[in-house]
Amino acid sequence: MNNIEKKLHTRSNSSCELCKSPDGLTAYIVPPKTDFNEDFSILICETCKDQIENPANITPNHWRCLNDSMWSEISAVQVVAWRMLTRLRNEGWPQDLLDMLYLDEETLTWAKATGEGDDDENKIKHFDSNGVQLQDGDSVVLIKDLNVKGANFTAKRGTAVRRISLVWDNPNQIEGRVEGQHIVILTQYVKKI
Ligand SMILES: [Zn+2]
C-alpha cells in the first residue's frame, strides 16, 4: 500500500467512502482528475466501482447509501455522489437528495466536468402518450376530444397540431394552434406524428 492509499484508508476507516462496504477497496481517482493524491481520490468497493464505470450494471437501490455519504465533507466524495444521483434522478428519490445536496462552485464544476446530466440538466423532457419524446416544432395529433378552457370549442380527437412548442417549466404541457387558437395541451392527450 502506498502513502496515498494509506491516507485514504485512514480517512475512511478502511471502508467504501460511498457505501461503507469493507470489501475489495481500491482508490478511485475522480475524473477528469488524473493526479493520484488524496484530494482527488476516494476509496471505493468493487460494487461501487463497477457501477460507476459500467452504467449498464447499475442497481438503483445500492445507491441509497448516498443518503448518508453525500454529506461527506470530502469534495471528491461529493462529486461522485452528485454524479450518481444525477444518473439516477429519474428514479425520483435521487432527485430529492440532489435538491438537498449543496456543492460549492468549484466542486460543482468538477462534478459536471464529465458531462453527467448534460442531457437533462437545464431542460425538462416532454413525452407523448406513448412515451415518445417531444421537441419544439414537432407535429402531434390529439387522441381524445378536448374542451378548451376559455375558448368555446372542443378540439376534436384526430386533430393535427403542427409546430408545437414545449412549455419549458412543465413537462406535462405543450402549446400549439388549434382552429386558429393558441392553446395549452396536456402531453398525455397527444401522439407524435
Ligand atoms: Zn461501495
Side-chain angles (χ1 to χ4, degrees), residues 149-165:
K149 278 185 202 146
N152 281 321
F153 76 98
T154 300
K156 291 284 185 208
R157 176 176 174 206
T159 303
V161 185
R162 309 208 178 271
R163 298 171 55 97
I164 59 162
S165 46

Side-chain angles (χ1 to χ4, degrees), residues 16 19 21-26 43-54 57 62-63:
C16 174
C19 77
S21 165
D23 301 323
L25 298 173
T26 49
L43 196 66
I44 55 174
C45 71
E46 282 169 303
T47 308
C48 286
K49 186 168 198 287
D50 178 49
Q51 296 196 21
I52 288 168
E53 293 179 344
N54 304 295
N57 294 349
H62 174 75
W63 295 97

Side-chain angles (χ1 to χ4, degrees), residues 84-103:
M84 296 314 287
L85 290 172
T86 299
R87 205 181 278 181
L88 291 164
R89 67 198 309 169
N90 291 336
E91 298 283 321
W93 60 264
Q95 181 64 55
D96 295 341
L97 295 183
L98 270 179
D99 290 343
M100 290 188 284
L101 179 58
Y102 172 80
L103 303 188

Side-chain angles (χ1 to χ4, degrees), residues 36-181:
F36 188 28
N37 66 42
E38 69 268 31
D39 291 334
F40 294 166
S41 307
I42 60 175
L43 196 66
I44 55 174
C45 71
E46 282 169 303
T47 308
C48 286
K49 186 168 198 287
D50 178 49
Q51 296 196 21
I52 288 168
E53 293 179 344
N54 304 295
N57 294 349
I58 205 161
T59 50
N61 272 339
H62 174 75
W63 295 97
R64 292 204 180 248
C65 59
L66 297 176
N67 207 354
D68 293 322
S69 47
M70 73 179 214
W71 302 108
S72 167
E73 286 173 6
I74 299 151
S75 301
V77 176
Q78 295 173 3
V79 165
V80 177
W82 186 93
R83 286 182 189 162
M84 296 314 287
L85 290 172
T86 299
R87 205 181 278 181
L88 291 164
R89 67 198 309 169
N90 291 336
E91 298 283 321
W93 60 264
Q95 181 64 55
D96 295 341
L97 295 183
L98 270 179
D99 290 343
M100 290 188 284
L101 179 58
Y102 172 80
L103 303 188
D104 64 41
E105 207 178 314
E106 193 184 340
T107 309
L108 188 60
T109 304
W110 180 8
K112 289 180 175 176
T114 53
E116 199 77 62
D118 271 1
D119 311 347
D120 50 10
E121 175 78 14
N122 298 308
K123 217 167 91 189
I124 289 179
K125 289 182 182 173
H126 295 67
F127 297 96
D128 75 5
S129 54
N130 293 323
V132 176
Q133 189 171 359
L134 298 169
Q135 308 284 359
D136 280 320
D138 280 348
S139 297
V140 298
V141 62
L142 304 181
I143 61 167
K144 64 172 271 189
D145 290 356
L146 302 177
N147 289 313
V148 181
K149 278 185 202 146
N152 281 321
F153 76 98
T154 300
K156 291 284 185 208
R157 176 176 174 206
T159 303
V161 185
R162 309 208 178 271
R163 298 171 55 97
I164 59 162
S165 46
L166 308 177
V167 175
W168 70 273
D169 62 349
N170 187 327
N172 301 315
Q173 295 181 347
I174 58 173
E175 294 176 2
R177 280 191 173 276
V178 176
E179 295 188 21
Q181 305 247 22

